[in-house]
Amino acid sequence: MFSRKSSKFLTYFTILISVGTLGFYVIGGDEWSLIDSFYMTIITMTTVGFGEVHPLSDLGRLWTSFVIVFGVSGFLYMLSEIGAELVEFRVYKENQKKRKIRKMKNHYIICGYGRMGAVIAKELHEKNHPFVVVELDQEKVDKISALGYQSILGDATIEKTLEEAGIHKAAGIVVCLNNDPDNLFVTLTARSLNHDAFLVSRCSQINNKPKLKQAGANKVVNPYTAGGHKMAELLISPELEDTVSLSLSHGIVDLAIDEVNLTNLNSFHGVKIKDSTIREEFNLIIVGLVNGDGSYEINPDPELLLNADHTVMIMGQKRELEQFKDKFPSHTHI
């Protein structure tokens, strides 16, 4: 597409320069060399404003006007064609991107690329999950494209935009726009277009949570409440590796995860996981195990023998994990 246009313009200007040079050479007579004629043609075509190489006759001035008209008009036409080609190429790339998105299925749609949307996109990308970001800001879309993510430039509150993002084939949708009214509207629209996708919505005001649930959200997340709760838990219990809160119908369950090095816990050396009584006595479970050489096992075999080189990852309710720590105060954390 570009090579064809380039070839056409190259031929045009080659002919114009050749004809212009020949004209000046013939009209100028003995005083004009081919170099003088070529130079005069170039400065005339480009209208740089340099003086004449040699004094021109009336016929020479007419020939100069001829070169200017065809040179400038050709140059302007070339610029307009290149501009049209660039627009056409951008449209082509955009349509190509939309075709790729239309072929996607069982993917995720992220509505909004603020701080929360950026984190979600990064997580999905690192875990190789297909996803599309819907964002109204062109500058943000450019950043998204630079990262190699699929994106749609458009308003997520408009049904057509969600359809372009492949909402009918999506496995999950996360709505994280800047305000609750927009999140509510997009949640309602998304649910009406896809009844089966798992839908997570962000809310800024906790009293809007029931409305978002009623609109069709499977889960509603308030980042300020969730983040504040987690920071408070880590502040109260800084020795814990991590905490998780589950909101159930009967209340909130606080789960904690801790890494325990067995070097100083002699009572566990040479004991099978199933015989360690950690589950029976403390209602805790060993979800992972790190060996002395750095290798690890998730959900280790209950028949595995524990030893001093092991570090176990224990999960359970925070109060029960604290009881374990009270009984084994000498244990160390990684």
Side-chain angles (χ1 to χ4, degrees), residues 201-234:
S201 185
R202 172 188 187 269
C203 76
S204 300
Q205 302 295 327
I206 197 64
N207 59 327
N208 289 327
K209 185 174 180 178
K211 299 174 187 175
L212 287 161
K213 282 272 194 178
Q214 191 173 7
N218 298 100
K219 295 287 183 182
V220 179
V221 177
N222 184 309
Y224 309 110
T225 301
H229 176 77
K230 185 165 186 175
M231 291 176 72
E233 289 295 323
L234 294 174

Side-chain angles (χ1 to χ4, degrees), residues 2 5-14 45-46 70-86:
F2 282 103
K5 291 289 184 183
S6 301
S7 177
K8 184 173 74 172
F9 288 123
L10 182 62
T11 302
Y12 174 82
F13 283 108
T14 299
M45 284 177 55
T46 56
F70 282 90
V72 172
S73 59
F75 183 71
L76 292 176
Y77 178 70
M78 181 182 71
L79 288 180
S80 66
E81 284 291 310
I82 290 174
E85 289 290 337
L86 289 174

Side-chain angles (χ1 to χ4, degrees), residues 141-215:
V141 169
D142 292 339
K143 290 180 181 178
I144 295 166
S145 299
L147 291 169
Y149 304 163
Q150 294 290 349
S151 62
I152 290 286
L153 175 63
D155 189 347
T157 61
I158 298 175
E159 187 174 314
K160 184 181 178 182
T161 305
L162 296 176
E163 289 176 343
E164 288 179 354
I167 192 167
H168 297 295
K169 299 178 183 178
I173 305 151
V174 58
V175 185
C176 47
L177 301 178
N178 291 329
N179 58 78
D180 286 358
D182 283 348
N183 287 328
L184 180 63
F185 187 81
V186 175
T187 298
L188 189 63
T189 304
R191 181 52 74 206
S192 68
L193 295 173
N194 188 325
H195 301 294
D196 302 319
F198 193 84
L199 204 159
V200 182
S201 185
R202 172 188 187 269
C203 76
S204 300
Q205 302 295 327
I206 197 64
N207 59 327
N208 289 327
K209 185 174 180 178
K211 299 174 187 175
L212 287 161
K213 282 272 194 178
Q214 191 173 7

Side-chain angles (χ1 to χ4, degrees), residues 4 11 21 25 37 100 196 307:
R4 207 164 47 242
T11 302
T21 300
Y25 183 70
S37 302
K100 284 184 180 179
D196 302 319
N307 61 58

Side-chain angles (χ1 to χ4, degrees), residues 120-318:
I120 296 168
K122 186 173 182 289
E123 288 278 333
L124 292 177
H125 177 69
E126 289 176 350
K127 294 175 181 176
N128 294 318
H129 292 298
F131 66 92
V132 179
V133 181
V134 177
E135 175 54 53
L136 188 57
D137 189 329
Q138 178 65 64
E139 187 176 339
K140 289 183 178 180
V141 169
D142 292 339
K143 290 180 181 178
I144 295 166
S145 299
L147 291 169
Y149 304 163
Q150 294 290 349
S151 62
I152 290 286
L153 175 63
D155 189 347
T157 61
I158 298 175
E159 187 174 314
K160 184 181 178 182
T161 305
L162 296 176
E163 289 176 343
E164 288 179 354
I167 192 167
H168 297 295
K169 299 178 183 178
I173 305 151
V174 58
V175 185
C176 47
L177 301 178
N178 291 329
N179 58 78
D180 286 358
D182 283 348
N183 287 328
L184 180 63
F185 187 81
V186 175
T187 298
L188 189 63
T189 304
R191 181 52 74 206
S192 68
L193 295 173
N194 188 325
H195 301 294
D196 302 319
F198 193 84
L199 204 159
V200 182
S201 185
R202 172 188 187 269
C203 76
S204 300
Q205 302 295 327
I206 197 64
N207 59 327
N208 289 327
K209 185 174 180 178
K211 299 174 187 175
L212 287 161
K213 282 272 194 178
Q214 191 173 7
N218 298 100
K219 295 287 183 182
V220 179
V221 177
N222 184 309
Y224 309 110
T225 301
H229 176 77
K230 185 165 186 175
M231 291 176 72
E233 289 295 323
L234 294 174
L235 180 66
I236 295 167
S237 306
E239 71 283 354
L240 295 181
E241 186 69 21
D242 204 352
T243 62
V244 179
S245 293
L246 299 178
S247 297
L248 305 176
S249 57
H250 298 294
I252 296 176
V253 177
D254 288 324
L255 294 179
I257 302 172
D258 205 0
E259 293 182 351
V260 179
N261 190 297
L262 300 184
T263 302
N264 300 322
L265 299 181
N266 299 329
S267 58
F268 292 105
H269 297 173
V271 177
K272 294 179 180 180
I273 290 178
K274 69 176 185 178
D275 297 329
S276 65
T277 71
I278 292 176
R279 181 187 183 92
E280 293 77 13
E281 188 174 349
F282 300 99
N283 198 28
L284 301 173
I285 55 175
I286 296 177
V287 295
L289 182 144
V290 181
N291 298 302
D293 60 2
S295 61
Y296 63 90
E297 298 178 47
I298 302 300
N299 191 22
D301 191 334
E303 296 290 335
L304 188 142
L305 288 175
L306 299 171
N307 61 58
D309 292 332
H310 285 150
T311 296
V312 292
M313 290 177 280
I314 301 177
M315 183 175 73
Q317 291 194 53
K318 190 172 70 171

